[in-house]
Structures are given as structure tokens and as C-alpha cells.
Amino acid sequence: MKIVDVRPDLRMVLDNGPGQAYLLRRGSDAVLVDTGIAGQGAAITEALRGWGLDRESLTHVVLTHWHPDHAGSAAELATWPNVRIWAHRGDAPIIRGDSYGSLPALTHNEEGLYAHIAGTIPDAAPSRVDRELDDDEILDAIGARVLSTPGHTDGSIALHFPNEAVLFTGDIATEHQGQVILGPFNHDRPLARESFRRFADIDVDTVCFGHGQPLRGDDTALLGAAATADEVPDPLG
């Protein structure tokens, strides 16, 4: 487990696998975007305590999609006193355990990487979902806008916090070796490329990816450049 301060009000919590979660402080409360793999409650508690907060300060957990490296600890965090679990309606039944998610349509270049990673990620226990989200929905309670980005999963979303000037892309985009590319392991790759284009005109100070290093300041222009390129950067395609 590793806690990285992206900026004073934003922390990235890295688990022992491929997952990462983000805590955004909003006054005396905090919002968590994704949870990492199962068993991350202690790490998230430690990250909160570093701000002088506790479990009661976490009010919302917003899941960008159902994959277990993102929703793995949702069931555990749902037991915390003030937490509400939110996810897009397309993925909510899978997170609840009412249905199964489909496997990604792997390219040849992805097969080896997927085989290596998939076996290291524990299954996510079913979790309640308190609110099902829709595209372009304004979440007044946390000051965010939902951007539907289907293709990685049916219910993948990004989250834009305009007041904090932060964008959380989920897995539709990834930072890799200083470049912004289409995220791998998509259910519908052509649709994922279309969703990637949604990031073309979003002006923020910070971009946080489901995998890879966050971008700050002028570096955030890399996302817009990739989203407006003639072809979406997709080295594993």
C-alpha cells in the first residue's frame, strides 16, 4: 500500500495490485473515486487520518465501473457509517451481484498482459449501490458531473469536479510513460474510442486515471491532444 499526495486536497491510494483509488477532500468531508482491490479499508482509513479525518468523514464512494480492481472494496466501505455507494446504472447490477459482467474483447497485443494481471485480482464481493447514475447528471452533493464513457464496460463513467478542476477518467484513458492512450481491456473497443473523444474540451488543473500517473497543470493538455488526434492513441489495438 502506498499513499501519494497529488495535491493538498487529493490523495491517490495504491493497493498491492493494479488498482488505485482517489480521495478528494471537500472541507471536513471526503469523496472516494474507486476503491482499488478488495481489502483496502485500512489503507483508505490511513489516508483519511493523514488529513486529520476519520471514517465518518467519508460520505460518498463513486465507482467508475464494476471491475474488481476498482470496485473491490466497495462492500467493505459500504459498512462505514456515512458512506453512500454510487455507480452508473449500466454497471450497478453487476456491482450488486445480480448479474455478471462480460469479458473484454482482447486484441492479440493484450492477451499476454491480461493473462498476467487477471489472476492477481481477487473477486469483488457484492455491494449495495445507493444511487444509479446517468450521463451528464449533476451530483450536487459532491459538486461533480457524470460523463458516460461506455466501451470499457457498459456503465463506465468519468467524473468532472469543476470547482476543484479535477477530472477522473476511469479506465477509458490511461497514462503510460508520459503519454495518454486508450485504456486496455475494453468490452467494445470502437465505442471506447468514441468515449475517449469526450475529453477533448475539458479544462482542468488535474487529470486522474484509473491506471497511470496523474497529470497536473500544463501536462493536462496531453489528454486533450490525444482526444482530438486524428486517431485515438491505441498502441495495444
Side-chain angles (χ1 to χ4, degrees):
M1 182 273 296
K2 183 178 181 182
I3 298 169
V4 177
D5 284 320
V6 179
R7 55 188 221 188
D9 63 342
L10 180 61
R11 292 189 142 175
M12 180 169 63
V13 182
L14 300 163
D15 59 33
N16 293 323
Q20 53 200 48
Y22 293 95
L23 274 170
L24 180 64
R25 182 171 182 169
R26 307 183 76 246
S28 59
D29 295 331
V31 175
L32 184 71
V33 178
D34 288 332
T35 73
I37 62 173
Q40 298 309 301
I44 293 165
T45 299
E46 182 177 337
L48 287 166
R49 286 177 177 164
W51 281 334
L53 303 179
D54 56 23
R55 292 184 176 195
E56 294 186 355
S57 303
L58 186 64
T59 60
H60 297 83
V61 174
V62 188
L63 304 173
T64 62
H65 58 292
W66 68 264
H67 286 164
D69 55 332
H70 291 259
S73 291
E76 178 184 2
L77 299 177
T79 68
W80 291 15
N82 297 319
V83 164
R84 295 293 177 265
I85 309 290
W86 291 356
H88 189 274
R89 66 177 60 256
D91 279 13
I94 304 169
I95 294 166
R96 292 190 181 108
D98 295 334
S99 63
Y100 294 98
S102 59
L103 292 173
L106 299 176
T107 68
H108 175 72
N109 291 329
E110 291 176 324
E111 291 173 355
L113 179 61
Y114 184 80
H116 174 72
I117 292 175
T120 69
I121 303 173
D123 291 337
S127 170
R128 74 170 198 268
V129 175
D130 299 298
R131 178 172 173 177
E132 296 186 7
L133 307 177
D134 286 311
D135 186 28
D136 280 329
E137 188 171 354
I138 303 300
L139 309 178
D140 291 327
I142 61 173
R145 180 169 69 101
V146 177
L147 300 173
S148 181
T149 56
H152 187 65
T153 67
D154 289 340
S156 287
I157 61 171
L159 292 166
H160 179 210
F161 289 76
N163 291 337
E164 289 84 4
V166 181
L167 174 70
F168 299 92
T169 69
D171 274 3
I172 208 71
T174 294
E175 183 277 334
H176 180 67
Q177 297 181 350
Q179 300 297 315
V180 177
I181 61 174
L182 183 73
F185 311 147
N186 296 293
H187 167 69
D188 183 332
R189 202 173 206 89
L191 183 58
R193 291 189 182 110
E194 291 180 23
S195 293
F196 188 96
R197 298 288 191 191
R198 295 204 68 177
F199 300 140
D201 299 318
I202 298 177
D203 184 18
V204 291
D205 169 75
T206 307
V207 178
C208 296
F209 302 95
H211 303 280
Q213 295 301 309
L215 302 178
R216 293 288 317 278
D218 291 343
D219 287 342
T220 61
L222 293 171
L223 177 63
T228 56
D230 291 341
E231 294 187 7
V232 170
D234 185 12
L236 294 176

